[in-house]
Amino acid sequence: MIIDFLKGYIFCLIESIFLFYLWNNLLPCKIKKARMVIIGVIIIIHSIFVLFIASLPILIKFPIILLISILIAILFYKSNVYIISFFTILVYYEMLISDLIVGNLYSYFNITTINYIVFINQNALLIFSCISKIISFILIFITIKYFKKINLDIPKKYWCVLDLIIIAFVVIGASFMSINSSLQNENSKSIYITLITIGFFAMNILVIYFFGEICYFFDKERQHYIVNIKNQALEQELMFQKTKSTEIRKIKHDMNNNLTAISVLLDDNDIPKTISYINELTSRINSIGNTIKTGDSIIDAIINYKITVSKEFNIDFKTDIAVLPQLDYNSTDLCAIISNLLDNAIEATIKLEENKRSISIKMFTYKNYVTIIIKNSHANEIKISDNLINTSKDNDIIHGFGLKSVSAAVLKYSGLFKISNDENTFQAEVMLPIK
C-alpha cells in the first residue's frame, strides 16, 4: 500500500515539475530571493494536492487541477491571465494525450485492456506511466523551444481564441479518457482510439502552428512600426537642422544691415534703442542654438521638431527638460509616447486663437522614475473615460489611437499613464520606472 502511494506521488511530483519547468522557461518569475527553494516547496504542495484529488472522476478532477494551477501561476509569474491559462492548459493537455496514446498502444500490443493495466497489472502500469512521462517531457520540451522563438506580445483577442480552442481539445481528450475503458470491450478498438487521439492532437499542433504565424506577423508589423518611428525621427531631425540652417543664413545675410542700423543708432546716441535692437538680435541667435538635449538623439530630434512645428503655428512652447540618465527602454517606445502626446497637444492647441495657444513639456527623474508631463491649452469640452478621450468625430476608431499607443508603451514597462483636464488645460502624465 505504501509502495503504491509512493509510486502515485512520484508521478504526480513529476507532472508538477513538468508544469513549473515550462512556466520557468516561458514566463518571468516574480520571486527574486531564494527562488528555487520557494518553487521547490510550491511544487511539493502542488503535487500533494493533485495526489489528494486523484481518485475523483477525470471530468471533475481536471478542471480543479487546471484552476488551482492557473491561480498559482498568476501569484508567482508575471504575465496576463490569457497567456498563463494557455500554457497551463497546454501542459496538462500534452500529458493527457500522452497517457491516451501510450495507454491504448500498450494495451493493443500486449493484447489487454486499459482497466487491466490500471487496476490489476501494477508492473504494466509502471511501464506505461514511465513511457507516458517521457513522451510528455519531449512534447513540453519542444513546446518551450517553439514558443521561445515567438514574440507573445499580440492582441488579447487572439489569446482568448487560442484559450478556447485548447480548452475544447482538453474537454475532448478528458471525455475520451473517461469513456476509454468502456470503448475497449475489444482489444482491436485500442488502435482506433489511438488514431482518433493522434488526429485530435495533430489538429491542435496545426492550431498552435498557425497561432505562431500570427505572432510572427505581428512581430514583423511591430518591427516595421519601429523602423518607421526611427525614419520619422531622422526626417524630423533633418527638417529641424534645415530650418536652423535657413535662419542662420538669413541672419548672416542681414548682418551688414543690422550692423549699419546699430551704427546709425549709436551715431544718434540713442542708447535705449541700440540696446533693444541688440537684445532682439541676440534673442534670435539664441533661439536658433537653443535645442533640447536629453541625452537621447532620437528623443531630442522629435522634441526639437515639434518645437519648430509649434513656432509655425505661433504656439507658445515651453520646455523644462533635464538630461536623462542611461535608460534600458527602447528609444522608439519613448519616442512613440512623446510624439503621440505632442501631436495631440498641437492638434488641440491650433484650434484656439493665437494668443491662447500654449504647450509645455517637462521631463525629469525623481525617485527611480522618469516623469514626462505635457500640458496644452484647449478649446472644446473634453470627456475622459478609462484614461481615453471620448470623441464625437466620425472616425472614432482612428481617433484616440495615439493615446492607446501611449498606454500600451507605458504598460510594457509597468509604468503609469494618466490624463486629466480642467476648464482651460489638458494634461498627460507618464511615469516610467528606471531599471
Side-chain angles (χ1 to χ4, degrees), residues 1-8:
M1 189 70 179
I2 296 177
I3 294 176
D4 292 339
F5 174 81
L6 289 174
K7 286 180 182 177

Side-chain angles (χ1 to χ4, degrees), residues 204-223:
N204 186 62
I205 291 174
L206 284 175
V207 169
I208 292 175
Y209 170 76
F210 285 119
F211 175 75
E213 290 298 305
I214 292 173
C215 292
Y216 179 76
F217 168 78
F218 274 98
D219 191 45
K220 287 294 182 183
E221 287 293 305
R222 192 177 295 105
Q223 291 177 17

Side-chain angles (χ1 to χ4, degrees), residues 255-305:
M255 187 61 71
N256 288 333
N257 293 333
N258 291 327
L259 291 175
T260 300
I262 291 172
S263 178
V264 170
L265 290 172
L266 289 174
D267 288 341
D268 293 340
N269 202 27
D270 194 342
I271 303 301
K273 285 188 177 180
T274 303
I275 293 173
S276 176
Y277 194 88
I278 292 174
N279 287 338
E280 183 181 346
L281 286 176
T282 303
S283 177
R284 286 181 60 191
I285 295 171
N286 288 338
S287 67
I288 295 172
N290 187 22
T291 58
I292 301 301
K293 298 292 183 181
T294 64
D296 189 300
S297 58
I298 296 179
I299 296 175
D300 293 345
I302 287 181
I303 297 178
N304 285 323
Y305 177 71

Side-chain angles (χ1 to χ4, degrees), residues 267-385:
D267 288 341
D268 293 340
N269 202 27
D270 194 342
I271 303 301
K273 285 188 177 180
T274 303
I275 293 173
S276 176
Y277 194 88
I278 292 174
N279 287 338
E280 183 181 346
L281 286 176
T282 303
S283 177
R284 286 181 60 191
I285 295 171
N286 288 338
S287 67
I288 295 172
N290 187 22
T291 58
I292 301 301
K293 298 292 183 181
T294 64
D296 189 300
S297 58
I298 296 179
I299 296 175
D300 293 345
I302 287 181
I303 297 178
N304 285 323
Y305 177 71
K306 300 304 180 186
I307 292 173
T308 302
V309 171
S310 297
K311 287 181 178 178
E312 293 177 0
F313 289 104
N314 295 317
I315 299 173
D316 180 21
F317 199 111
K318 297 177 181 178
T319 62
D320 182 5
I321 299 176
V323 177
L324 302 178
Q326 188 67 33
L327 302 173
D328 291 333
Y329 309 130
N330 190 320
S331 292
T332 53
D333 289 326
L334 276 176
C335 289
I337 293 170
I338 296 169
S339 184
N340 279 311
L341 292 179
L342 286 178
D343 283 342
N344 287 346
I346 292 171
E347 180 184 352
T349 305
I350 59 178
K351 297 175 183 178
L352 296 167
E353 297 176 7
E354 289 191 4
N355 62 338
K356 296 181 179 179
R357 297 175 183 176
S358 66
I359 295 175
S360 68
I361 178 171
K362 187 175 184 180
M363 293 180 65
F364 59 93
T365 57
Y366 180 68
K367 289 188 176 180
N368 294 322
Y369 276 88
V370 172
T371 301
I372 304 167
I373 301 174
I374 296 176
K375 297 180 181 180
N376 64 270
S377 51
H378 67 87
N380 300 326
E381 181 182 356
I382 297 176
K383 295 180 180 180
I384 297 175
S385 175

Side-chain angles (χ1 to χ4, degrees), residues 120-136:
I120 299 174
N121 193 333
Q122 294 299 310
N123 290 331
L125 177 61
L126 180 62
I127 295 171
F128 147 70
S129 298
C130 289
I131 295 173
S132 175
K133 294 301 175 280
I134 291 171
I135 293 176
S136 296

Side-chain angles (χ1 to χ4, degrees), residues 170-286:
V170 166
V171 171
I172 294 170
S175 300
F176 260 96
M177 179 71 82
S178 65
I179 64 174
N180 194 30
S181 58
S182 61
L183 290 175
Q184 276 196 343
N185 293 326
E186 300 176 15
N187 174 259
S188 59
K189 290 185 178 179
S190 293
I191 192 67
Y192 299 115
I193 297 171
T194 302
L195 290 175
I196 293 171
T197 304
I198 292 174
F200 279 115
F201 187 59
M203 290 171 60
N204 186 62
I205 291 174
L206 284 175
V207 169
I208 292 175
Y209 170 76
F210 285 119
F211 175 75
E213 290 298 305
I214 292 173
C215 292
Y216 179 76
F217 168 78
F218 274 98
D219 191 45
K220 287 294 182 183
E221 287 293 305
R222 192 177 295 105
Q223 291 177 17
H224 181 67
Y225 172 75
I226 289 173
V227 170
N228 282 342
I229 286 287
K230 289 183 177 180
N231 289 340
Q232 184 186 53
L234 291 173
E235 288 175 4
Q236 292 176 352
E237 173 68 11
L238 288 173
M239 294 178 68
F240 174 70
Q241 295 295 343
K242 184 178 180 180
T243 301
K244 286 207 306 181
S245 178
T246 300
E247 291 184 9
I248 290 171
R249 285 199 301 270
K250 184 178 179 181
I251 289 176
K252 286 183 177 179
H253 179 268
D254 294 339
M255 187 61 71
N256 288 333
N257 293 333
N258 291 327
L259 291 175
T260 300
I262 291 172
S263 178
V264 170
L265 290 172
L266 289 174
D267 288 341
D268 293 340
N269 202 27
D270 194 342
I271 303 301
K273 285 188 177 180
T274 303
I275 293 173
S276 176
Y277 194 88
I278 292 174
N279 287 338
E280 183 181 346
L281 286 176
T282 303
S283 177
R284 286 181 60 191
I285 295 171
N286 288 338

